[in-house]
Amino acid sequence: MKSIFDYIAGIFKGVWSLLKGMTITGKYFIRLDKIVTQKYPENRKKLKMYDRFKGELIMPHDVNNFHKCNGCGICEMNCPNGSIEVISDKIITSEGKSKRIIGTHIYHLSMCTFCGLCVKSCPSNALAFSQEFEHAVFDRNKLTKVLNNPGSSLVKDLAE
Amino acid sequence: MGYQKYDLAPLTHSIDQYLYSHLSSTWAFLAEMTLIGVVFLIFYAVIGLYLVLAERKVCAFMQNRIGPNRVGWYGVLQTIADLFKLLLKELITIRKADKLLFNIAPFIVIIASFLGIAAIPFAMGLHAIDFNIGIFYIMAVSSVGVVGILIAGWSSNNKYSLIGAMRSGAQIVSYELSVGLSLLVIVIYSGTLQLSTLVESQADGWWIIKGHIPAILAFFVFVTAGTAETNRGPFDLAEAESELTAGFHTEYSGIKFAFFFLAEYMNMFLVASVAATVFLGGWMPLHIPGLEGFNNAMDFIPPIVWYFGKTAFVIFLMMWIKWTFPRLRIDQLLNLEWKYLLPINLVNIVVVALIVLMGWYIK
Ligand code: SF4
Ligand code: SF4
């Protein structure tokens, strides 16, 4: 007897839960103002990407062309795809000591998977992601970028 | 009755007479056949393509997206562009596939749905063939489609295709029972298998209203089983993209793939129009006995609008179901049929027989 009751109760419960699901999709169907997709090329002017969006790797420079990278090469070691090449340089400081600085910080956008390990692992917080996402170019070489601006130098060197 | 002012029979008869008076009877017969064939072909293509578009739009809105909106005004030409793309694609020949069966399968599937459409009454007097066993005929020809699916899976020489086809076979064979039994409910009520008489019998109210609880139950069982029959979600085990790539049509490309795709949508249309005709009165306007003014106002809307409106309603219901529910597992699918739908149906039939015997329905 109980099993028959369970059977019938199961049918009603099942139908009830199906109807609940259908009311949700039905509500979405009529709420056209809730649409989340945007028409991309048309909204290009007012398109605002989110802060956490990983567009491409950049090295922020301040107004006086200073960055924070000391050329340690940790980002290069941590990149799983080998998309970073750090070529460091040596300078002689005013006290006569030899000091390592960054020569060229090369970033291969074409090989990057945007995992973010480089940004996380950089001890001096020198790297960041920009919100730029229109990367299409006709020449593959254009995807290889030098992140440190020409003539830029480390912030700390200024203090000295 | 007011709706008779839209009778299209005089029009079709005058075309018939015109052909017979200008051609010998053999040629006139052939000309009529060709004419009907061409009309149905165009109808089939247009409806099929626009159902695909409707599905994409409905799905998009239910997921808070916009859907196709680039080709034409709000994307109305999207599926036509897709058709041209498919027509231009290469038809890949599969090595070690059974050539003959592989090429025949899409045609079997599409012909099965084509045959079914022929018996649907679209409006008063707009009816290609009016069999006295119309419902039986539609059920018989539409189940030929599964043979095409099985052949497609078998001849592809691909294990995923075969699994998909076998699942589809199990599914269609089981759900065919529910489809038949739920239609039988209305057949018992109306006492006819002929679709034109069935529609006429709903002049004083549709069967879903006149037949109250058993008819409503039968309607929902029919829509569920019909969705399963057409291999649509949540019963799309035969395709199951995630497990079987695309099931029985994995190996098909270009226009042969499009045939399967189109046939699926036309089967949906067929199921929806059978549901509309049998349960919701087909092209018959909504009549409530006793309310003369209301009935006359309803008669003002042409039957063809009623027919397409009701069919569109059932199609929307099926799309709503598809885009709401997750896919069933194969054992859940067979459980649903053999443990729930079939017993409910059988009890329903007995109840209906009793109701008709005692006259407990709105006559
Ligand atoms: S970006 Fe950071 S981790 Fe990479 S070399 Fe410069 S300081 Fe080191
Ligand atoms: S985001 Fe990941 S893949 Fe890209 S450069 Fe940084 S570590 Fe390498």
Side-chain angles (χ1 to χ4, degrees):
Chain A
M1 197 61 216
K2 188 172 177 298
S3 62
I4 293 175
F5 181 76
D6 283 351
Y7 174 84
I8 293 170
I11 292 175
F12 280 102
K13 250 197 252 158
V15 170
W16 178 243
S17 78
L18 292 181
L19 285 179
K20 252 200 240 164
M22 283 178 75
T23 38
I24 290 176
T25 42
K27 259 186 222 148
Y28 283 157
F29 183 76
I30 46 177
R31 289 297 301 273
L32 291 187
D33 54 319
K34 279 266 168 83
I35 279 177
V36 289
T37 41
Q38 302 175 10
K39 293 191 172 182
Y40 161 57
E42 285 93 336
N43 72 352
R44 212 165 160 195
K45 290 240 163 58
K46 53 181 169 35
L47 179 68
K48 210 185 152 317
M49 297 307 293
Y50 298 93
D51 289 345
R52 286 162 62 194
F53 177 73
K54 297 171 181 171
E56 72 176 302
L57 194 63
I58 49 163
M59 187 180 287
H61 288 63
D62 65 12
V63 280
N64 299 319
N65 213 7
F66 288 116
H67 57 72
K68 291 194 258 175
C69 173
N70 56 21
C72 66
I74 289 177
C75 54
E76 180 178 3
M77 285 191 283
N78 275 301
C79 178
N81 305 310
S83 31
I84 294 178
E85 270 174 71
V86 175
I87 300 169
S88 51
D89 217 350
K90 279 227 169 71
I91 50 161
I92 310 290
T93 54
S94 45
E95 294 113 68
K97 275 194 223 152
S98 102
K99 185 173 182 297
R100 180 197 63 213
I101 57 156
I102 184 78
T104 29
H105 192 290
I106 302 168
Y107 167 56
H108 299 278
L109 176 59
S110 52
M111 294 197 278
C112 177
T113 53
F114 309 102
C115 64
L117 284 179
C118 48
V119 177
K120 280 228 175 77
S121 62
C122 174
S124 352
N125 269 335
L127 296 175
F129 280 111
S130 78
Q131 262 90 55
E132 184 58 44
F133 63 92
E134 290 169 343
H135 295 313
V137 285
F138 285 104
D139 183 2
R140 199 166 5 145
N141 294 330
K142 286 190 182 143
L143 294 174
T144 301
K145 308 188 178 195
V146 176
L147 293 190
N148 53 333
N149 290 353
S152 62
S153 51
L154 189 61
V155 185
K156 248 193 298 183
D157 293 349
L158 178 73
E160 285 170 344
Chain B
M1 281 293 206
Y3 60 85
Q4 268 144 358
K5 65 174 170 284
Y6 289 111
D7 193 355
L8 292 170
L11 176 73
T12 48
H13 281 156
S14 67
I15 295 173
D16 179 64
Q17 252 146 33
Y18 176 81
L19 285 173
Y20 273 92
S21 61
H22 284 75
L23 297 165
S24 71
S25 63
T26 331
W27 281 110
F29 178 71
L30 283 178
E32 262 175 29
M33 286 290 180
T34 325
L35 205 61
I36 294 171
V38 169
V39 167
F40 267 99
L41 213 60
I42 294 169
F43 175 76
Y44 195 97
V46 170
I47 291 282
L49 287 176
Y50 276 92
L51 278 181
V52 177
L53 183 70
E55 167 116 289
R56 288 174 65 177
K57 275 288 186 191
V58 168
C59 149
F61 287 146
M62 284 192 177
Q63 297 169 349
N64 282 350
R65 294 185 288 115
I66 307 176
N69 59 63
R70 296 288 177 201
V71 192
W73 179 76
Y74 280 97
V76 285
L77 299 178
Q78 179 67 50
T79 43
I80 295 175
D82 287 347
L83 176 75
F84 281 112
K85 181 201 77 179
L86 284 170
L87 277 170
L88 294 175
K89 282 210 165 178
E90 186 190 356
L91 292 171
I92 298 163
T93 34
I94 310 299
R95 232 189 311 141
K96 293 211 184 133
D98 190 324
K99 292 264 152 40
L100 177 70
L101 293 183
F102 186 77
N103 289 322
I104 268 183
F107 292 98
I108 295 181
V109 173
I110 211 159
I111 284 171
S113 61
F114 214 94
L115 285 173
I117 299 285
I120 299 283
F122 291 104
M124 196 172 191
L126 204 65
H127 198 167
I129 3 168
D130 188 15
F131 287 118
N132 55 359
I133 48 162
I135 295 180
F136 182 68
Y137 165 80
I138 289 180
M139 278 188 58
V141 294
S142 62
S143 53
V144 172
V146 68
V147 177
I149 290 178
L150 283 174
I151 289 179
W154 178 259
S155 63
S156 299
N157 190 26
N158 173 330
K159 52 184 174 293
Y160 299 118
S161 300
L162 190 58
I163 294 172
M166 286 297 160
R167 279 185 184 181
S168 154
Q171 179 178 335
I172 292 183
V173 168
S174 347
Y175 279 84
E176 194 82 13
L177 275 171
S178 283
V179 170
L181 287 174
S182 53
L183 289 178
L184 214 55
V185 168
I186 303 302
V187 171
I188 295 174
Y189 270 132
S190 65
T192 177
L193 282 167
Q194 191 171 359
L195 285 164
S196 57
T197 343
L198 195 64
V199 174
E200 298 283 354
S201 74
Q202 307 185 62
D204 51 350
W206 305 342
W207 277 119
I208 199 162
I209 302 165
K210 284 200 292 180
H212 55 87
I213 300 165
I216 293 169
L217 212 60
F219 176 73
F220 284 107
V221 171
F222 180 78
V223 171
T224 316
T227 315
E229 276 273 279
T230 52
N231 280 329
R232 280 175 60 78
F235 305 102
D236 57 345
L237 284 133
E239 289 162 37
E241 293 89 350
S242 44
E243 317 145 39
L244 301 178
T245 55
F248 60 90
H249 56 58
T250 306
E251 300 291 354
Y252 285 86
S253 56
I255 197 67
K256 280 192 240 166
F257 164 75
F259 275 5
F260 281 115
F261 206 62
L262 215 58
E264 185 189 320
Y265 282 90
M266 279 325 275
N267 281 333
M268 175 169 78
F269 181 77
L270 190 61
V271 166
S273 34
V274 170
T277 307
V278 173
F279 295 97
L280 305 178
W283 48 260
M284 188 59 76
L286 176 64
H287 289 146
I288 299 171
L291 294 175
E292 269 318 304
F294 177 77
N295 290 353
N296 286 339
M298 288 290 123
D299 284 341
F300 204 68
I301 303 169
I304 194 131
V305 175
W306 279 104
Y307 167 77
F308 278 107
K310 289 171 194 176
T311 311
F313 167 73
V314 181
I315 288 175
F316 176 71
L317 202 63
M318 289 169 75
M319 287 179 179
W320 193 356
I321 291 171
K322 170 161 182 171
W323 294 107
T324 305
F325 303 137
R327 183 166 58 232
L328 276 73
R329 224 170 37 218
I330 184 82
D331 59 324
Q332 293 168 334
L333 178 93
L334 295 178
N335 266 353
L336 176 69
E337 164 63 15
W338 295 102
K339 281 197 186 159
Y340 293 94
L341 293 187
L342 191 64
I344 289 174
N345 246 328
L346 288 172
V347 172
N348 207 12
I349 293 266
V350 175
V351 171
V352 168
L354 188 73
I355 286 177
V356 171
L357 204 64
M358 308 300 283
W360 287 338
Y361 64 101
I362 308 162
K363 270 177 269 192

